[in-house]
Amino acid sequence: ADAQLCENWRVKLQVGSKFRVGLKWTGNPMHRNDINRSCPLEIFHPLTLLKDIEIFSLEKSPEAHLGDTMQKYHIRDLSKELTSFDQTAAAIACLDLIISVDTSAAHLAGAMGLPVWTLLPYLPDWRWMLTRADSPWYPTMKLFRQKQPGDWDSVVQQVIGEIVNFKQLAA
């Protein structure tokens, strides 16, 4: 990521305060499997209740902008400033963890070598294979999979269980 853009984002995100998580819950609505790989924001409510975590929305699509829900969950909306991959790369470089469904944000974070947790539907895209918890493409990526079709709740519970350990390592 561009060093000057990263510095701008460090100031905006107040790096050094809380544990910062970037969250992306929807993919491209035109994708043929988007109905399975995207999930509702509301399933992340338990994640927003964790202490000492600040969550930033990495959503860009108008359909995903649920201002009232994001406000209620204290999720900071970055959409107006994520105007390019350069801006997105600089922003995520200033976060401690990216949690995303199968989207370009997950691939970008993985390609940058950043900690990224990718949430997968029961039948994921071929590149995620069927049983791995890691990715051969991105060494810093961890995969969280549905055990049953449509079961995002258990995936979020897995994430919550892991984030407590991860925060201790990242502190």
Side-chain angles (χ1 to χ4, degrees):
D2 179 82
Q4 184 57 55
L5 292 177
C6 285
E7 186 54 36
N8 296 344
W9 278 101
R10 273 189 203 87
V11 171
K12 287 178 200 175
L13 302 178
Q14 300 172 358
V15 170
S17 53
K18 293 182 177 183
F19 187 80
R20 294 166 318 283
V21 175
L23 182 63
K24 184 96 169 76
W25 59 91
T26 67
N28 180 348
M30 301 306 291
H31 186 280
R32 64 181 166 76
N33 195 35
D34 191 60
I35 193 164
N36 293 314
R37 70 181 189 148
S38 291
C39 60
L41 171 59
E42 290 77 12
I43 66 130
F44 290 101
H45 182 245
L47 180 67
T48 68
L49 300 175
L50 294 175
K51 289 184 175 186
D52 300 322
I53 290 181
E54 188 169 11
I55 299 176
F56 298 87
S57 168
L58 301 176
E59 293 294 338
K60 290 183 63 173
S61 68
E63 299 83 19
H65 292 157
L66 306 166
D68 291 343
T69 304
M70 285 198 300
Q71 261 186 328
K72 182 170 96 175
Y73 294 163
H74 306 288
I75 297 173
R76 215 164 123 189
D77 183 7
L78 303 179
S79 63
K80 291 183 173 109
E81 299 172 84
L82 299 177
T83 56
S84 67
F85 270 117
D86 288 337
Q87 288 291 347
T88 303
I92 66 175
C94 297
L95 299 173
D96 298 306
L97 175 65
I98 307 305
I99 298 174
S100 177
V101 295
D102 182 7
T103 66
S104 61
H107 290 278
L108 180 60
M112 291 174 66
L114 300 172
V116 56
W117 294 356
T118 304
L119 314 183
L120 299 173
Y122 182 71
L123 292 174
D125 188 73
W126 65 269
R127 76 195 78 201
W128 308 121
M129 295 166 236
L130 294 176
T131 59
R132 293 181 72 134
D134 66 341
S135 166
W137 325 116
Y138 307 120
T140 59
M141 182 178 283
K142 183 169 183 151
L143 305 176
F144 293 82
R145 301 171 177 277
Q146 288 181 351
K147 292 184 178 27
Q148 297 176 22
D151 182 16
W152 288 114
D153 291 325
S154 69
V155 174
V156 170
Q157 288 306 312
Q158 291 174 48
V159 165
I160 289 170
E162 290 287 324
I163 203 164
V164 174
N165 293 329
F166 186 81
K167 275 179 47 182
Q168 290 174 350
L169 293 174

